Amino acid sequence: MVSVAILGAAGGIGQPLSLLLKMNPHVTRLSLYDLVNVPGVAADVSHINTNSSVESHLDKQNLGAALAGIDIVIIPAGVPRKPGMTRDDLFNINAGIVRTLAEAIADHCPAAIIGVISNPVNSTVPIAAEVLKARGVYNPKRLFGITSLDVVRASRFVRDIKPSVDAAALRIPVVGGHSGATIVPLLSQAEPRVEFSQKEIEELTHRIQFGGDEVVQAKAGAGSATLSMAYAAARFTESLIRAISGEDVVEPAFVSLDADPRGAENIRALGAGSLEFFAVPVQLGREGVKRIAPVPSITPFERKAIEVASGELQKNISKGVSFTQKAKI
Protein backbone atom coordinates (compact mmCIF):
# COMPACT_ATOMS: atom_id res chain seq x y z
CA MET A 1 0.00 0.00 0.00
CA VAL A 2 1.47 3.33 -1.06
CA SER A 3 0.85 7.07 -0.96
CA VAL A 4 0.93 8.97 -4.26
CA ALA A 5 1.09 12.71 -4.95
CA ILE A 6 0.06 14.23 -8.27
CA LEU A 7 1.57 17.67 -8.83
CA GLY A 8 -0.59 19.40 -11.41
CA ALA A 9 -3.70 17.41 -10.53
CA ALA A 10 -6.21 19.90 -11.94
CA GLY A 11 -4.76 19.93 -15.45
CA GLY A 12 -5.64 18.04 -18.58
CA ILE A 13 -3.49 15.05 -17.62
CA GLY A 14 -3.80 15.48 -13.87
CA GLN A 15 -7.58 15.11 -13.69
CA PRO A 16 -7.93 11.78 -15.54
CA LEU A 17 -4.77 10.53 -13.81
CA SER A 18 -6.33 11.38 -10.44
CA LEU A 19 -9.39 9.38 -11.45
CA LEU A 20 -7.36 6.36 -12.54
CA LEU A 21 -5.21 6.32 -9.41
CA LYS A 22 -8.26 6.71 -7.16
CA MET A 23 -9.48 3.49 -8.78
CA ASN A 24 -6.21 1.70 -7.96
CA PRO A 25 -6.81 -0.52 -4.90
CA HIS A 26 -3.14 -0.37 -3.89
CA VAL A 27 -3.12 3.41 -3.40
CA THR A 28 -4.00 4.25 0.21
CA ARG A 29 -3.45 8.01 0.10
CA LEU A 30 -3.88 10.25 -2.95
CA SER A 31 -2.49 13.75 -2.48
CA LEU A 32 -3.58 16.23 -5.16
CA TYR A 33 -1.76 19.53 -5.67
CA ASP A 34 -2.21 22.40 -8.09
CA LEU A 35 -2.27 26.19 -8.23
CA VAL A 36 -5.95 26.33 -9.23
CA ASN A 37 -9.15 24.25 -9.16
CA VAL A 38 -7.74 21.31 -7.22
CA PRO A 39 -10.34 21.40 -4.39
CA GLY A 40 -13.04 20.58 -6.92
CA VAL A 41 -11.04 17.76 -8.48
CA ALA A 42 -10.32 16.27 -5.07
CA ALA A 43 -13.94 16.54 -3.96
CA ASP A 44 -15.10 14.90 -7.17
CA VAL A 45 -12.79 11.88 -7.13
CA SER A 46 -13.19 11.46 -3.36
CA HIS A 47 -16.75 10.24 -3.99
CA ILE A 48 -15.47 7.17 -5.85
CA ASN A 49 -16.09 4.10 -3.69
CA THR A 50 -12.53 2.89 -3.23
CA ASN A 51 -10.70 2.91 0.10
CA SER A 52 -7.99 5.50 -0.55
CA SER A 53 -8.13 8.87 1.13
CA VAL A 54 -7.98 11.99 -1.08
CA GLU A 55 -6.35 15.27 -0.08
CA SER A 56 -6.55 18.68 -1.74
CA HIS A 57 -3.56 21.05 -1.56
CA LEU A 58 -4.02 24.44 -3.22
CA ASP A 59 -1.22 26.89 -4.05
CA LYS A 60 2.48 27.02 -3.23
CA GLN A 61 2.16 27.47 0.53
CA ASN A 62 0.58 24.00 0.74
CA LEU A 63 3.06 22.17 -1.49
CA GLY A 64 5.05 20.88 1.48
CA ALA A 65 1.95 19.37 3.06
CA ALA A 66 1.08 17.71 -0.25
CA LEU A 67 4.46 15.97 -0.31
CA ALA A 68 4.94 15.00 3.34
CA GLY A 69 5.22 11.22 3.73
CA ILE A 70 4.71 10.49 0.03
CA ASP A 71 6.12 7.34 -1.62
CA ILE A 72 5.59 8.21 -5.31
CA VAL A 73 5.39 11.68 -6.87
CA ILE A 74 3.99 12.05 -10.39
CA ILE A 75 4.49 15.43 -12.11
CA PRO A 76 2.16 16.32 -15.01
CA ALA A 77 2.31 20.06 -14.13
CA GLY A 78 2.97 22.57 -16.88
CA VAL A 79 1.47 24.03 -20.03
CA PRO A 80 0.25 21.77 -22.85
CA ARG A 81 1.55 21.79 -26.40
CA LYS A 82 -0.54 23.64 -28.99
CA PRO A 83 -0.55 23.51 -32.81
CA GLY A 84 2.78 24.62 -34.23
CA MET A 85 4.59 24.17 -30.92
CA THR A 86 7.36 21.69 -30.33
CA ARG A 87 8.24 20.31 -26.92
CA ASP A 88 11.18 22.71 -26.89
CA ASP A 89 8.76 25.62 -27.20
CA LEU A 90 7.40 24.60 -23.81
CA PHE A 91 10.81 24.70 -22.21
CA ASN A 92 10.98 28.18 -20.73
CA ILE A 93 7.71 27.77 -18.81
CA ASN A 94 7.84 24.13 -17.83
CA ALA A 95 11.52 24.17 -16.90
CA GLY A 96 10.84 26.63 -14.10
CA ILE A 97 7.83 24.66 -12.90
CA VAL A 98 9.76 21.39 -12.68
CA ARG A 99 12.66 23.12 -10.92
CA THR A 100 10.34 24.53 -8.24
CA LEU A 101 8.60 21.18 -7.71
CA ALA A 102 11.90 19.28 -7.53
CA GLU A 103 13.13 21.70 -4.86
CA ALA A 104 10.02 20.98 -2.80
CA ILE A 105 10.44 17.23 -3.25
CA ALA A 106 14.06 17.52 -2.07
CA ASP A 107 12.87 19.34 1.04
CA HIS A 108 9.78 17.31 1.96
CA CYS A 109 10.05 13.76 0.54
CA PRO A 110 13.63 13.26 -0.69
CA ALA A 111 13.32 9.46 -0.71
CA ALA A 112 10.23 9.41 -2.93
CA ILE A 113 10.24 7.82 -6.37
CA ILE A 114 9.63 10.59 -8.92
CA GLY A 115 7.92 10.26 -12.31
CA VAL A 116 8.17 13.30 -14.59
CA ILE A 117 5.57 13.82 -17.33
CA SER A 118 6.08 17.57 -17.88
CA ASN A 119 7.51 18.21 -21.33
CA PRO A 120 10.09 18.38 -22.72
CA VAL A 121 10.95 15.26 -20.69
CA ASN A 122 14.37 15.03 -22.37
CA SER A 123 15.22 18.29 -20.58
CA THR A 124 12.97 18.36 -17.50
CA VAL A 125 14.32 15.10 -16.08
CA PRO A 126 17.91 16.45 -16.17
CA ILE A 127 16.61 19.63 -14.49
CA ALA A 128 15.08 17.59 -11.67
CA ALA A 129 18.31 15.60 -11.35
CA GLU A 130 20.44 18.74 -11.07
CA VAL A 131 18.13 20.18 -8.40
CA LEU A 132 18.30 16.98 -6.36
CA LYS A 133 22.08 16.83 -6.76
CA ALA A 134 22.41 20.40 -5.52
CA ARG A 135 20.31 19.52 -2.46
CA GLY A 136 22.39 16.41 -1.76
CA VAL A 137 19.49 13.96 -2.12
CA TYR A 138 19.87 12.68 -5.68
CA ASN A 139 19.40 8.97 -6.22
CA PRO A 140 19.47 8.07 -9.94
CA LYS A 141 17.50 4.91 -9.22
CA ARG A 142 14.47 6.94 -8.08
CA LEU A 143 14.02 9.48 -10.89
CA PHE A 144 12.09 8.60 -14.05
CA GLY A 145 10.86 10.34 -17.15
CA ILE A 146 7.57 8.62 -17.98
CA THR A 147 7.76 7.53 -21.62
CA SER A 148 5.07 4.86 -21.41
CA LEU A 149 2.86 6.64 -23.92
CA ASP A 150 5.42 5.90 -26.66
CA VAL A 151 5.16 2.20 -25.77
CA VAL A 152 1.36 2.32 -25.66
CA ARG A 153 1.24 4.04 -29.04
CA ALA A 154 3.65 1.53 -30.55
CA SER A 155 1.41 -1.38 -29.59
CA ARG A 156 -1.77 0.36 -30.76
CA PHE A 157 -0.31 1.56 -34.06
CA VAL A 158 0.94 -1.92 -34.90
CA ARG A 159 -2.57 -3.22 -34.28
CA ASP A 160 -3.85 -0.62 -36.77
CA ILE A 161 -1.96 -2.33 -39.61
CA LYS A 162 -1.92 -5.88 -38.20
CA PRO A 163 -5.52 -6.58 -37.10
CA SER A 164 -4.66 -10.07 -35.84
CA VAL A 165 -2.36 -8.60 -33.17
CA ASP A 166 -3.63 -8.18 -29.59
CA ALA A 167 -2.54 -4.61 -28.79
CA ALA A 168 -2.88 -5.14 -25.04
CA ALA A 169 -0.54 -8.15 -25.07
CA LEU A 170 2.02 -6.75 -27.52
CA ARG A 171 5.26 -5.41 -26.00
CA ILE A 172 7.57 -3.24 -28.09
CA PRO A 173 10.62 -1.66 -26.42
CA VAL A 174 10.99 2.05 -27.15
CA VAL A 175 14.37 3.59 -26.41
CA GLY A 176 16.05 6.99 -26.73
CA GLY A 177 14.00 9.96 -25.59
CA HIS A 178 10.45 11.30 -25.58
CA SER A 179 10.14 13.66 -28.53
CA GLY A 180 10.22 13.30 -32.29
CA ALA A 181 13.28 11.60 -33.71
CA THR A 182 14.62 10.80 -30.23
CA ILE A 183 11.87 8.17 -29.93
CA VAL A 184 13.17 4.86 -31.30
CA PRO A 185 10.73 1.91 -31.33
CA LEU A 186 12.56 -1.40 -31.60
CA LEU A 187 10.02 -3.16 -33.77
CA SER A 188 12.43 -6.04 -34.33
CA GLN A 189 12.08 -6.85 -30.61
CA ALA A 190 8.28 -7.05 -30.57
CA GLU A 191 6.90 -9.77 -28.29
CA PRO A 192 5.12 -11.76 -29.58
CA ARG A 193 7.08 -11.45 -32.78
CA VAL A 194 5.47 -9.52 -35.65
CA GLU A 195 6.68 -9.55 -39.25
CA PHE A 196 6.97 -6.17 -40.98
CA SER A 197 8.05 -5.02 -44.41
CA GLN A 198 10.70 -2.30 -44.50
CA LYS A 199 8.06 0.17 -45.65
CA GLU A 200 5.87 -0.71 -42.68
CA ILE A 201 8.83 -0.31 -40.31
CA GLU A 202 9.65 3.13 -41.64
CA GLU A 203 6.04 4.33 -41.60
CA LEU A 204 5.36 2.91 -38.14
CA THR A 205 8.54 4.40 -36.73
CA HIS A 206 7.61 7.85 -38.01
CA ARG A 207 4.05 7.59 -36.69
CA ILE A 208 5.22 6.49 -33.24
CA GLN A 209 7.77 9.30 -33.15
CA PHE A 210 5.25 11.98 -34.11
CA GLY A 211 2.04 10.45 -32.78
CA GLY A 212 1.59 13.36 -30.41
CA ASP A 213 1.19 15.68 -33.37
CA GLU A 214 -1.93 13.78 -34.45
CA VAL A 215 -3.62 14.65 -31.17
CA VAL A 216 -2.43 18.26 -31.11
CA GLN A 217 -3.76 18.82 -34.60
CA ALA A 218 -7.04 16.99 -33.95
CA LYS A 219 -7.69 19.06 -30.82
CA ALA A 220 -7.15 22.20 -32.90
CA GLY A 221 -5.71 24.39 -30.17
CA ALA A 222 -7.49 22.73 -27.25
CA GLY A 223 -4.37 20.93 -25.99
CA SER A 224 -2.28 17.84 -26.51
CA ALA A 225 -2.51 14.17 -25.52
CA THR A 226 -4.09 14.10 -22.08
CA LEU A 227 -6.33 11.03 -21.79
CA SER A 228 -3.85 8.62 -23.39
CA MET A 229 -1.01 10.18 -21.39
CA ALA A 230 -2.98 9.78 -18.17
CA TYR A 231 -3.60 6.14 -19.04
CA ALA A 232 0.10 5.58 -19.75
CA ALA A 233 1.13 7.34 -16.52
CA ALA A 234 -1.35 5.29 -14.50
CA ARG A 235 0.10 2.14 -16.05
CA PHE A 236 3.62 3.22 -15.13
CA THR A 237 2.55 4.12 -11.58
CA GLU A 238 0.88 0.73 -11.21
CA SER A 239 4.16 -0.90 -12.30
CA LEU A 240 6.04 1.11 -9.66
CA ILE A 241 3.54 0.05 -7.00
CA ARG A 242 3.90 -3.60 -7.98
CA ALA A 243 7.69 -3.25 -7.84
CA ILE A 244 7.55 -1.64 -4.40
CA SER A 245 5.49 -4.64 -3.32
CA GLY A 246 8.26 -6.99 -4.43
CA GLU A 247 7.32 -7.93 -8.00
CA ASP A 248 9.82 -7.73 -10.83
CA VAL A 249 8.27 -5.51 -13.51
CA VAL A 250 9.86 -4.22 -16.72
CA GLU A 251 8.79 -0.83 -18.09
CA PRO A 252 10.65 1.45 -20.50
CA ALA A 253 11.47 4.85 -18.97
CA PHE A 254 13.85 7.78 -19.43
CA VAL A 255 16.43 7.31 -16.70
CA SER A 256 19.99 8.09 -15.75
CA LEU A 257 22.27 5.37 -17.08
CA ASP A 258 24.19 5.83 -13.83
CA ALA A 259 21.31 4.03 -12.13
CA ASP A 260 22.83 0.76 -13.38
CA PRO A 261 26.27 1.35 -14.95
CA ARG A 262 26.80 -2.31 -15.78
CA GLY A 263 23.40 -2.69 -17.38
CA ALA A 264 23.94 0.54 -19.28
CA GLU A 265 26.98 -0.89 -21.08
CA ASN A 266 24.67 -2.71 -23.48
CA ILE A 267 22.66 0.36 -24.51
CA ARG A 268 25.78 2.52 -24.72
CA ALA A 269 27.28 0.01 -27.15
CA LEU A 270 24.12 0.21 -29.27
CA GLY A 271 24.54 3.96 -29.74
CA ALA A 272 23.78 5.81 -26.51
CA GLY A 273 27.49 6.53 -26.09
CA SER A 274 28.32 8.79 -23.15
CA LEU A 275 24.82 10.19 -22.65
CA GLU A 276 23.75 10.49 -19.01
CA PHE A 277 20.04 9.89 -19.71
CA PHE A 278 18.33 7.50 -22.10
CA ALA A 279 14.98 5.74 -22.36
CA VAL A 280 15.59 2.03 -21.80
CA PRO A 281 13.67 -1.04 -20.63
CA VAL A 282 13.96 -0.88 -16.84
CA GLN A 283 13.45 -3.73 -14.42
CA LEU A 284 11.77 -1.98 -11.51
CA GLY A 285 12.32 -2.89 -7.88
CA ARG A 286 11.63 -1.56 -4.39
CA GLU A 287 14.26 1.18 -4.82
CA GLY A 288 13.12 2.22 -8.29
CA VAL A 289 15.58 1.05 -10.93
CA LYS A 290 16.63 -2.49 -10.09
CA ARG A 291 18.54 -2.91 -13.33
CA ILE A 292 18.57 -1.76 -16.92
CA ALA A 293 17.27 -4.70 -18.93
CA PRO A 294 19.49 -5.79 -21.83
CA VAL A 295 18.46 -4.99 -25.39
CA PRO A 296 19.32 -7.83 -27.81
CA SER A 297 20.88 -7.23 -31.19
CA ILE A 298 19.06 -4.62 -33.25
CA THR A 299 18.70 -3.97 -36.96
CA PRO A 300 20.85 -1.50 -38.92
CA PHE A 301 17.76 0.73 -39.31
CA GLU A 302 17.27 0.82 -35.53
CA ARG A 303 20.96 1.43 -34.89
CA LYS A 304 20.92 4.41 -37.25
CA ALA A 305 17.81 5.75 -35.54
CA ILE A 306 19.54 5.50 -32.15
CA GLU A 307 22.52 7.44 -33.51
CA VAL A 308 20.19 10.20 -34.72
CA ALA A 309 18.33 10.18 -31.40
CA SER A 310 21.55 10.39 -29.39
CA GLY A 311 22.72 13.50 -31.19
CA GLU A 312 19.47 15.30 -30.47
CA LEU A 313 19.30 13.99 -26.90
CA GLN A 314 22.69 15.43 -26.06
CA LYS A 315 21.37 18.88 -26.94
CA ASN A 316 18.17 18.36 -24.93
CA ILE A 317 20.01 17.11 -21.85
CA SER A 318 22.57 19.91 -22.02
CA LYS A 319 19.75 22.45 -22.27
CA GLY A 320 18.25 21.20 -19.00
CA VAL A 321 21.59 21.14 -17.19
CA SER A 322 22.46 24.61 -18.47
CA PHE A 323 19.10 25.95 -17.23
CA THR A 324 19.82 24.84 -13.68
CA GLN A 325 23.34 26.21 -13.76
CA LYS A 326 22.11 29.62 -14.90
CA ALA A 327 19.44 29.50 -12.20
CA LYS A 328 22.21 28.98 -9.60
CA ILE A 329 20.29 26.41 -7.61
Side-chain angles (χ1 to χ4, degrees), residues 95 99-100 102-103 126-135 320-329:
R99 179 190 65 202
T100 298
E103 289 170 346
I127 288 171
E130 292 300 310
V131 170
L132 298 171
K133 289 175 186 177
R135 299 298 180 96
V321 172
S322 177
F323 173 83
T324 58
Q325 291 173 342
K326 289 177 182 177
K328 296 181 180 179
I329 294 170

Side-chain angles (χ1 to χ4, degrees), residues 32-113:
L32 306 183
Y33 168 82
D34 214 319
L35 298 178
V36 295
N37 301 330
V38 76
V41 175
D44 200 352
V45 299
S46 72
H47 291 185
I48 295 170
N49 61 334
T50 55
N51 295 330
S52 55
S53 64
V54 179
E55 302 170 6
S56 166
H57 300 279
L58 180 67
D59 217 341
K60 292 179 181 178
Q61 68 267 25
N62 294 310
L63 179 53
L67 293 169
I70 289 294
D71 299 309
I72 298 172
V73 181
I74 306 297
I75 307 177
V79 298
R81 194 155 58 105
K82 296 180 181 179
M85 293 177 69
T86 67
R87 284 176 171 83
D88 280 343
D89 293 329
L90 306 178
F91 180 84
N92 288 332
I93 298 174
N94 288 357
I97 292 171
V98 170
R99 179 190 65 202
T100 298
L101 296 177
E103 289 170 346
I105 291 167
D107 291 341
H108 298 286
C109 56
I113 295 175

Side-chain angles (χ1 to χ4, degrees), residues 275-299:
L275 290 173
E276 181 178 357
F277 296 93
F278 211 77
V280 288
V282 176
Q283 184 175 346
L284 302 171
R286 288 189 172 91
E287 297 302 313
V289 176
K290 184 173 183 178
R291 72 181 184 114
I292 292 173
V295 175
S297 60
I298 59 176
T299 67

Side-chain angles (χ1 to χ4, degrees), residues 28-215:
T28 53
R29 173 190 170 203
L30 187 59
S31 178
L32 306 183
Y33 168 82
D34 214 319
L35 298 178
V36 295
N37 301 330
V38 76
V41 175
D44 200 352
V45 299
S46 72
H47 291 185
I48 295 170
N49 61 334
T50 55
N51 295 330
S52 55
S53 64
V54 179
E55 302 170 6
S56 166
H57 300 279
L58 180 67
D59 217 341
K60 292 179 181 178
Q61 68 267 25
N62 294 310
L63 179 53
L67 293 169
I70 289 294
D71 299 309
I72 298 172
V73 181
I74 306 297
I75 307 177
V79 298
R81 194 155 58 105
K82 296 180 181 179
M85 293 177 69
T86 67
R87 284 176 171 83
D88 280 343
D89 293 329
L90 306 178
F91 180 84
N92 288 332
I93 298 174
N94 288 357
I97 292 171
V98 170
R99 179 190 65 202
T100 298
L101 296 177
E103 289 170 346
I105 291 167
D107 291 341
H108 298 286
C109 56
I113 295 175
I114 305 166
V116 178
I117 299 171
S118 309
N119 278 315
V121 164
N122 297 352
S123 299
T124 55
V125 171
I127 288 171
E130 292 300 310
V131 170
L132 298 171
K133 289 175 186 177
R135 299 298 180 96
V137 296
Y138 179 56
N139 182 345
K141 294 181 181 295
R142 303 180 80 80
L143 175 63
F144 298 85
I146 299 178
T147 60
S148 303
L149 182 53
D150 301 326
V151 179
V152 168
R153 283 179 173 145
S155 299
R156 177 60 244 185
F157 294 170
V158 167
R159 163 75 185 190
D160 286 345
I161 66 168
K162 304 284 185 180
S164 63
V165 168
D166 179 357
L170 184 62
R171 293 291 180 266
I172 298 171
V174 181
V175 302
H178 186 53
S179 66
T182 69
I183 299 169
V184 183
L186 303 180
L187 295 167
S188 68
Q189 306 300 318
E191 294 182 3
R193 184 172 178 79
V194 182
E195 295 294 335
F196 301 102
S197 69
Q198 185 60 32
K199 183 174 184 289
E200 288 173 331
I201 289 170
E202 292 174 7
E203 291 177 348
L204 274 171
T205 297
H206 185 272
R207 190 181 180 204
I208 293 163
Q209 290 176 329
F210 297 96
D213 293 349
E214 295 181 17
V215 181

